[in-house]
Amino acid sequence: MIRWREGVAGQIRRSWAGAVELDVQTTEGLVPALAYVDLVGRPEPGDRVLLNTTAYALGLGTGGFALVVALPDRLPPDRDGPGHLVKARYSPLQATVLGIDEQDSPAHGILRDADDLAGLPVVIADLHSALPAVLAGLYDARPGTSVAYVMTDGAALPLALSRTVAGLVDAGWLGAGTITVGQAFGGDLEAATLHTGLLAARLVLGAEVVVVTQGPGNLGTGTRWGFTGVAAGEAVNAVAVLHGRPVAALRVSEADPRTRHQGVSHHSLTAYGRVALAAADVVVPELPGPFGERVRKAVDPLGERHRLVEVPTGGLDAALRLCPVTLSSMGRNLARDHAYFVGCAAAGRHAARLLDHR
């Protein structure tokens, strides 16, 4: 199940919070690799490196590199910090972190009986690439809003994989902080479940708005139920049961070559139409022409359970161009998948308006 390779660390390509990208010389040639420094240490040129090359061999878009499993001749020192919440459980790289909700946490008393988001707007999206676009729409309407990002564990587990999050943090666009929940790890706070992650965003980080997505590397199988984005529907349920205000961002595209994702993706229609049992504000971006009409017709059935909120999109192009990180979804930028990013930004705009009316 794992393709093991051994090599020697070469040039360091780039690094960001929690991760180093480098070249590794193997018997099969030069291989691009990624090391999570909190797990394996920081590789230096000349280090012997053990690699997992499974994703690299498969040519996966998000995971198209080898992963550093160990620097066997220079192991990192033991860390004896607090925490007994184990993530990536029972995998060879399971790691112990301090959960914000565990008994040793300073916030345990705050969260022990916490049960209420008090109407906190929570924007939920299928893909990780929605995050910067949602924020662009939010900040265009309401600069200075305190936002927390909650990353679920449907795709990548290490938050450090996301250069998008690193860039948004550097730009001050995630001022309240980041929370990784379930098996995901590496956020400013760690939580056992999405529910406590949401409560911690409000009660510990003081966020005014929360954005929830999976990490990079969405999995889809071309089947009705076999995609990790079904968790978007579960997130709606979690926000609603905690008395928050779920805002559902649609996955919309004119550019995706796959029929199931054209117009409104079946991911959104299934997650919000079948998995979400509680009502959400489903944001319908006002898009021009026949495509806009196609989107409106596709979401009509969602109106049986949800509140369909049409949001004007004027000015969102300019807001998206001000985004401090690269906008990219399935390799397509703003110009190539305009409707997708505008739709996500519209969800952020709606969340800002909810704040103005609280």
Side-chain angles (χ1 to χ4, degrees):
M1 295 179 65
I2 296 178
R3 295 172 63 99
W4 289 94
R5 294 296 184 270
E6 183 175 341
V8 177
Q11 177 184 357
I12 304 299
R13 293 185 172 195
R14 53 184 169 175
S15 63
W16 57 93
V20 172
E21 188 177 340
L22 69 154
D23 292 326
V24 176
Q25 185 66 51
T26 72
T27 57
E28 298 171 354
L30 204 62
V31 173
L34 189 69
Y36 296 116
V37 297
D38 291 337
L39 297 181
V40 302
R42 184 174 294 275
E44 300 292 345
D47 282 339
R48 186 162 67 100
V49 177
L50 297 183
L51 298 174
N52 176 340
T53 63
T54 307
Y56 178 68
L58 290 174
L60 300 180
T62 299
F65 36 72
L67 293 171
V68 175
V69 178
L71 310 174
D73 301 326
R74 195 165 58 82
L75 297 175
D78 292 341
R79 296 186 178 183
D80 297 322
H84 69 270
L85 184 61
V86 180
K87 298 208 173 186
R89 288 190 282 275
Y90 303 105
S91 76
L93 286 178
Q94 66 180 7
T96 304
V97 298
L98 177 64
I100 192 66
D101 39 7
E102 67 173 276
Q103 288 87 343
D104 292 338
S105 165
H108 183 263
I110 298 172
L111 295 173
R112 181 176 52 214
D113 298 315
D115 199 37
D116 195 350
L117 291 175
L120 180 75
V122 179
V123 182
I124 299 155
D126 176 13
L127 299 179
H128 188 69
S129 57
L131 174 61
V134 169
L135 294 177
L138 171 66
Y139 287 130
D140 179 63
R142 203 171 187 273
T145 301
S146 177
V147 180
Y149 171 53
V150 174
M151 191 178 96
T152 61
D153 58 7
L157 299 184
L159 182 140
L161 177 61
S162 176
R163 293 191 300 274
T164 293
V165 169
L168 292 170
V169 169
D170 288 345
W173 276 34
L174 291 173
T178 60
I179 305 176
T180 37
V181 304
Q183 293 293 301
F185 59 90
D188 297 320
L189 302 180
E190 307 278 3
T193 67
L194 174 59
H195 297 73
T196 49
L198 290 168
L199 290 164
R202 173 181 175 248
L203 298 173
V204 179
L205 296 182
E208 298 174 274
V209 173
V210 176
V211 182
V212 175
T213 74
Q214 61 186 322
N218 165 72
L219 172 64
T221 64
T223 62
R224 183 184 298 273
W225 294 103
F227 63 97
T228 50
V230 292
E234 299 288 6
V236 169
N237 296 334
V239 174
V241 78
L242 294 172
H243 312 295
R245 185 70 177 261
V247 175
L250 293 171
R251 180 175 172 181
V252 171
S253 181
E254 282 186 281
D256 200 303
R258 297 163 294 180
T259 303
R260 65 185 184 274
H261 295 308
Q262 292 169 3
V264 179
S265 168
H266 85 98
H267 285 197
S268 291
L269 298 177
T270 300
Y272 301 140
R274 302 286 299 279
V275 180
L277 302 179
D281 291 359
V282 175
V283 174
V284 185
E286 293 183 355
L287 300 170
F291 182 76
E293 183 60 27
R294 178 181 179 180
V295 168
R296 286 188 289 275
K297 287 183 178 179
V299 299
D300 273 348
L302 297 181
E304 295 178 8
R305 176 173 300 147
H306 301 292
R307 300 172 290 272
L308 301 183
V309 182
E310 294 198 10
V311 174
T313 57
L316 289 179
D317 277 18
L320 288 163
R321 285 193 290 269
L322 293 175
C323 191
V325 299
T326 301
L327 294 173
S328 178
S329 183
M330 307 294 174
R332 297 184 294 270
N333 61 16
L334 175 61
R336 291 184 57 205
D337 210 348
H338 179 262
Y340 169 72
F341 293 107
V342 167
C344 295
R349 173 174 281 180
H350 178 61
R353 291 179 176 177
L354 290 177
L355 284 180
D356 290 337
H357 293 90
R358 285 185 72 183

